[in-house]
Amino acid sequence: MNKLIIANWKMHYGPVKAGAWIRAFRRERLPKELDIGVAVPHVSLPAARSSLGRAGVPFLGAQNVFWENEGSYTGEIGPEMLTEFGYVFSLVGHSERRKYLGETDEMVAKKVVTLQKEGISPVICVGETAAEHKAGKAKVVVRRQVTAALKKGAVAGGKAPLMFAYEPIWAIGSGKACPPDEAKAMHDVIRNAIEKKFSSKAAEETRILYGGSVNKQTVIEYMTTTGVDGVLVGGASLDPREFGLLCRAALPA
Ligand code: PGA
């Protein structure tokens, strides 16, 4: 399985800027053995898709989705709407959504089920706060988040495989990345929880990314760590040329 890098623009770039980013990024020379995705704001998905043309890289995803396909949910976007454009993944439960929008483990679990039914891979984001980290509770917290996210009928494998991103909240946007060996230990916790829920095969096949202050200097350390299947990149993905450099620096020469 190829390693995977996903750019998370967060709340940046409306349709015009998103289109420009995609066109600029298409000019980058990229390693063929790398899978690259970009999670864009809903409103920019159509522009990103049309700027992509027939290019298969990067593949597009959403940053969030609702847990029903349609209905009286003013302001929400259902997974089925995304499928009209052939989107392939959606982040779910990013810590910023948990913090600012009150997203709970239960909401995350419902989103995972609807996404998978629509053939969209959920990238489930988990991670502990600084206080939990300090108190030595990281593993307990993350194990609980993973188990809760899989509780409502998530399936292993299939056409919309599950993915996880371990994103310690204290490492996001702080410049204080989690050292690769610590990230690996947390990835093991996530993998064990998947194994317990499904099987060792499922655990092996589920991609688990690390996210939090990854940049073009540090990306290689994560990508060469066993058990880390790729990275989720926020700030360092906003400039398409810089992100291209990061992708080129991701694999050993
Ligand atoms: P960062 O964000 O790379 O800016 O730390 C990562 C994320 O929140 O996905």
Side-chain angles (χ1 to χ4, degrees):
M1 200 166 14
N2 281 352
K3 296 263 175 168
L4 168 66
I5 297 184
I6 294 181
N8 173 16
W9 291 351
K10 310 193 176 183
M11 200 177 75
H12 293 276
Y13 303 155
V16 173
K17 289 182 180 164
W21 190 103
I22 296 286
R23 287 191 297 279
F25 190 67
R26 282 185 59 181
R27 291 196 287 274
E28 294 294 313
R29 266 183 310 105
L30 300 165
K32 286 205 175 47
E33 325 69 61
L34 191 61
D35 291 344
I36 302 170
V38 52
V40 316
H42 288 136
V43 72
S44 302
L45 281 165
R49 167 64 70 217
S50 64
S51 299
L52 203 52
R54 304 178 81 155
V57 179
F59 55 84
L60 298 180
Q63 298 175 6
N64 174 48
V65 80
F66 194 61
W67 60 77
E68 296 286 349
N69 277 324
E70 59 180 17
S72 302
Y73 305 104
T74 303
E76 291 299 322
I77 307 281
E80 196 183 356
M81 298 177 185
L82 301 181
T83 61
E84 291 189 19
F85 298 92
Y87 297 118
V88 285
F89 76 94
S90 177
L91 305 183
V92 187
H94 190 283
S95 60
E96 287 152 13
R97 296 201 56 81
R98 294 181 194 250
K99 178 174 170 191
Y100 299 115
L101 283 308
E103 201 154 304
T104 63
D105 284 337
E106 165 147 23
M107 286 151 93
V108 170
K110 291 201 279 188
K111 291 176 180 202
V112 167
V113 174
T114 320
L115 279 168
Q116 286 198 300
K117 280 195 186 134
E118 291 304 320
I120 302 175
S121 274
V123 180
I124 304 166
C125 304
V126 296
E128 79 284 2
T129 63
E132 289 161 344
H133 186 74
K134 243 187 166 163
K137 292 190 184 142
K139 290 185 178 173
V140 176
V141 168
V142 166
R143 192 177 297 120
R144 192 181 61 222
Q145 287 174 334
V146 173
T147 310
L150 301 178
K151 217 155 130 182
K152 295 230 181 276
V155 293
K159 63 180 170 144
L162 291 170
M163 291 186 256
F164 280 88
Y166 169 59
E167 297 206 302
I169 294 169
W170 48 272
I172 295 177
S174 65
K176 277 192 299 181
C178 175
D181 56 329
E182 274 183 44
K184 184 204 175 317
M186 295 303 296
H187 285 214
D188 290 346
V189 168
I190 297 171
R191 229 177 271 286
N192 287 339
I194 301 169
E195 179 171 359
K196 213 161 151 206
K197 167 81 184 172
F198 300 114
S199 64
S200 54
K201 182 170 178 282
E204 221 169 90
E205 289 174 353
T206 301
R207 298 213 260 200
I208 306 175
L209 314 180
Y210 166 75
S213 295
V214 176
N215 59 38
K216 64 181 186 229
Q217 279 84 31
T218 58
V219 63
I220 184 91
E221 298 169 24
Y222 296 97
M223 300 293 273
T224 52
T225 296
T226 313
V228 178
D229 304 307
V231 290
L232 182 53
V233 182
S237 73
L238 289 177
D239 180 313
R241 296 215 48 206
E242 286 292 308
F243 185 58
L245 285 172
L246 185 151
C247 291
R248 285 202 290 284
L251 299 177

